[in-house]
Amino acid sequence: MLEDYLRDQDGIITLAQARAAGLSHDAVNRRVRSGAWLRCTPGVFFADDRPFTDAARVRAAVWSCGPLATASGLAAAWWHGISRFAPEVVEVTVPRISNHRRRYGVRTRRRDLSPKEIVERNGLRVTTLPLTVIEAAVRQRGGAELMDGALQRQVELTQLWRAHLRNKGRHGAPAARLLLQAAEDGARSEAERILVKLLRDAGFTGWQTNYPVSGYKVDVGFVKEKVAIEADGWAFHSDQEVFQTDRKRQNAIALNGWQVLRFTWLDLTQHPQRVIAEIARALRQPR
C-alpha cells in the first residue's frame, strides 16, 4: 500500500497516508532522519529514491496547504494538460477561513470554492477545466492563446461563460470577461476594426474595405496587387457550416487570381508585427 501511494503520487505522501499504510509516527521520523524521505512541509514527504518532478512539486505545494486546498490558475492548467510548462510558483486556492504560512514557490488565494468547481485528477484536487481556463488565461501573457487552444480541443464557450458567471468577483474576472467577449461571434467585426487600424498605422495605401471580388466582399482588398485580407474571430470554428462557407468563398476569390491572407483575432492582437510583415511580403513592400 505504501509503495502504491509513492508510485501513484509522484513520490509524495502525507503523514495521514503513511499512517493509513501502517507506519507509525516514529517509523516516519526514522525515514526522515535516514534521508530516505525528505520533509517538504509538516505532514508532507517525498521519497528521495526518484527524481523530484514538476508533478511532485505541484502535488507537494497543494497538499502543504491542507486537505481542502485546490490547485488553481496556471498550476491547474498544467495539471489538466492545457499548458505546456509547469509554473514556477504554484497557485493554490484555500478556504477563506484558513491559516497557512506563506511558503516559497506557493501563492495562496483565499476563496470558498463551490464543490461543483472542483474535480480530482490523478489524486489531486484541481479547479474544473472551465474555471481553470478562464482563470489561467489572465495569469500570463498570451492567455488568449491558452483559451483559444482549450476551445478548439476540450471545452465549449458556453461552459466558460457559466463558470465565469458562477465565480464573479474573483481575481482577474474583468480581464476574463473581455476575453470571453472577444471569443464570441462579435470578435470577427472587432478583428476587422483592428486590421484596419494596423494597416493605417503601418502606412499601407491602395486598399479598400469591403471590396467586391467574385460575388463576395473581402474585408480588405489591395486592388492593384490583387491581395485580399480576411479577418476572422478566434482560431476555432464552432459552426461547421460557417467553416465550409468560408472555404468555398476563399476558393472562389483565389480562382479569380487573388491571393488571400487570413488572420484571426489572436493574430491581430497578439502578433501584429508578424501580420504587417506577411502583408508587406504579399505586396512585395518592405516593412
Side-chain angles (χ1 to χ4, degrees):
M1 185 176 179
L2 184 65
E3 289 306 314
D4 288 343
Y5 276 132
L6 295 174
R7 181 187 65 250
D8 297 340
Q9 298 177 172
D10 313 296
I12 301 295
I13 191 168
T14 66
L15 178 59
Q17 291 170 343
R19 297 294 298 273
L23 292 186
S24 66
H25 200 286
D26 287 340
V28 171
N29 285 336
R30 284 196 297 272
R31 282 171 166 76
V32 173
R33 287 195 298 269
S34 70
W37 286 10
L38 303 179
R39 193 188 308 273
C40 301
T41 59
V44 180
F45 308 92
F46 172 67
D48 195 29
D49 59 352
R50 65 204 73 202
F52 188 69
T53 62
D54 284 330
R57 179 170 60 86
V58 171
R59 192 183 295 274
V62 176
W63 285 353
S64 72
C65 295
L68 298 180
T70 305
S72 56
L74 291 173
W78 181 76
W79 202 264
H80 276 290
I82 60 174
S83 180
R84 291 179 57 193
F85 303 106
E88 292 184 8
V89 177
V90 178
E91 180 179 314
V92 182
T93 295
V94 298
R96 194 177 300 276
I97 300 178
S98 56
N99 184 25
H100 296 285
R101 296 190 311 171
R102 296 183 63 178
R103 293 187 173 89
Y104 177 79
V106 180
R107 179 183 294 114
T108 56
R109 296 198 181 280
R110 299 182 185 277
R111 185 166 96 247
D112 294 325
L113 289 171
S114 166
K116 67 173 60 176
E117 308 294 1
I118 302 170
V119 294
E120 184 175 297
R121 285 181 62 93
N122 298 327
L124 190 71
R125 286 165 54 101
V126 297
T127 49
T128 59
L129 182 59
L131 181 57
T132 295
V133 171
I134 61 175
E135 291 194 328
V138 298
R139 298 286 197 267
Q140 66 173 7
R141 181 178 177 85
E145 294 180 357
L146 183 151
M147 182 180 288
D148 182 60
L151 283 167
Q152 291 185 59
R153 298 184 297 272
Q154 296 167 289
V155 70
E156 296 180 358
L157 185 58
T158 53
Q159 294 175 294
L160 299 187
W161 269 115
R162 288 170 186 158
H164 171 72
L165 295 174
R166 286 195 304 265
N167 293 271
K168 290 182 177 179
R170 71 187 185 281
H171 176 75
R177 177 176 55 81
L178 293 176
L179 284 178
L180 289 170
Q181 289 173 339
E184 292 187 306
D185 292 339
R188 182 158 193 159
S189 58
E190 177 62 19
E192 293 171 12
R193 288 191 287 271
I194 296 171
L195 172 61
V196 168
K197 185 177 187 305
L198 285 178
L199 293 174
R200 287 174 177 161
D201 291 346
F204 284 110
T205 58
W207 52 272
Q208 298 182 36
T209 58
N210 297 315
Y211 188 76
V213 181
S214 303
Y216 299 96
K217 287 188 176 181
V218 298
D219 296 330
V220 170
F222 286 85
V223 183
K224 180 180 177 181
E225 297 86 352
K226 299 189 75 172
V227 173
I229 314 296
E230 296 280 64
D232 296 327
W234 283 37
F236 75 98
H237 290 265
S238 57
D239 190 326
Q240 184 64 22
E241 184 177 349
V242 171
F243 179 84
Q244 294 296 341
T245 300
D246 280 349
R247 292 305 172 270
K248 179 181 177 182
R249 177 173 178 269
Q250 179 170 321
N251 289 345
I253 294 169
L255 288 172
N256 200 30
W258 284 67
Q259 181 179 0
V260 181
L261 298 182
R262 301 190 75 99
F263 299 106
T264 67
W265 184 88
L266 290 174
D267 294 326
L268 296 164
T269 57
Q270 304 294 316
H271 310 288
Q273 294 305 315
R274 188 179 69 193
V275 170
I276 293 300
E278 290 182 8
I279 294 174
R281 184 179 176 185
L283 299 173
R284 302 296 190 270
Q285 296 180 10
R287 276 294 184 281

